[in-house]
Amino acid sequence: DVYVTTKVRAEYKNEKEAADSIEASLQRLGLDYVDLLLIHSPQPWKYVNQSDNRFKEGNLAAWAAMEKAYKAGKVKAIGVSNFEIEDIENLITHAEIAPMVNQLLVHVSQTPIDLIDYCKRHQILVEGYSPMGHGRILANAVLQELAKKYKVSVAQLCIRYVWQLGLVVLPKAENPSHIEENGRIDF
């Protein structure tokens, strides 16, 4: 009934830190396994958009810990988040197990088609997070007009857009009525 995903912090770029974080996550969650484990980012957060260093060796080291956890049954699937083609190529070329998932920022103003197509060609499931652009898209006048036309909310329109790309959609909602509304995209 519940699918549990957790992540190895973007800062953990060696096998020991990654392995320790996997064990710590299982302990905190009180679980024997998680359904999906991701590397949160190919670069530590302080380097994102600040450096050309893609941390290839560090990602391979963290990935090695994830492969061991996968083989031990501690995780059912392993993947990445925010990885570009060159980052995924590094894993496919040098690791034993290819990523199964790539979790990406995808919305109507941010649709990395080449990366999505690459992932699909390599049988990597794409999860599109923040389909409403961290909430900023909700005020877009064009989308508001389209939402009126289809008699839906802008949020539903945004979720439907990502869903029609063939992606798993990960909208954020805390309000139960918003959660229910987010599931109604059959228009």
Side-chain angles (χ1 to χ4, degrees):
D1 291 344
V2 177
Y3 189 90
V4 178
T5 301
T6 193
K7 296 178 178 177
V8 171
R9 289 182 53 159
E11 290 72 25
Y12 295 162
K13 298 300 181 199
N14 68 62
E15 191 170 345
K16 181 177 180 351
E17 283 180 325
D20 289 349
S21 77
I22 294 165
E23 291 302 322
S25 289
L26 291 171
Q27 290 288 325
R28 277 192 309 275
L29 292 166
L31 298 172
D32 296 324
Y33 72 90
V34 293
D35 298 291
L36 177 60
L37 177 68
L38 306 171
I39 296 177
H40 204 161
S41 173
Q43 298 172 298
W45 293 117
K46 69 180 182 179
Y47 295 105
V48 171
N49 300 323
Q50 306 296 321
S51 170
D52 291 334
N53 184 349
R54 301 305 294 178
F55 292 84
K56 290 182 177 186
E57 293 303 316
N59 287 319
L60 286 170
W63 192 256
M66 293 170 64
E67 286 180 328
K68 287 178 182 172
Y70 175 77
K71 290 176 184 176
K74 295 178 182 182
V75 299
K76 301 298 179 188
I78 53 178
V80 294
S81 182
N82 303 299
F83 273 49
E84 298 291 334
I85 292 171
E86 72 176 288
D87 306 313
I88 298 168
E89 282 287 327
N90 179 46
L91 296 178
I92 289 174
T93 303
H94 301 290
E96 187 178 333
I97 302 169
M100 299 164 189
V101 172
N102 191 8
Q103 189 179 87
L104 302 171
L105 175 64
V106 180
H107 53 77
V108 297
S109 297
Q110 166 76 25
T111 307
I113 294 296
D114 291 343
L115 179 54
I116 291 168
D117 290 345
Y118 172 88
C119 289
K120 287 180 178 182
R121 281 194 310 275
H122 288 85
Q123 290 78 50
I124 299 170
L125 178 73
V126 177
E127 293 182 339
Y129 71 85
S130 198
M132 290 154 272
H134 305 292
R136 291 186 300 269
I137 291 176
L138 299 175
N140 181 291
V142 173
L143 293 178
Q144 289 175 347
E145 285 301 314
L146 283 170
K148 284 181 193 173
K149 175 183 175 181
Y150 290 104
K151 298 179 176 59
V152 297
S153 69
V154 174
Q156 287 172 299
L157 195 65
C158 291
I159 293 166
R160 175 68 188 232
Y161 171 80
V162 176
W163 179 79
Q164 280 188 215
L165 292 171
L167 312 184
V168 172
V169 188
L170 299 175
K172 181 180 177 183
E174 296 175 10
N175 180 313
S177 66
H178 289 165
I179 293 169
E180 183 182 330
E181 178 184 283
N182 288 348
R184 292 193 310 268
I185 57 170
D186 58 343
F187 56 91

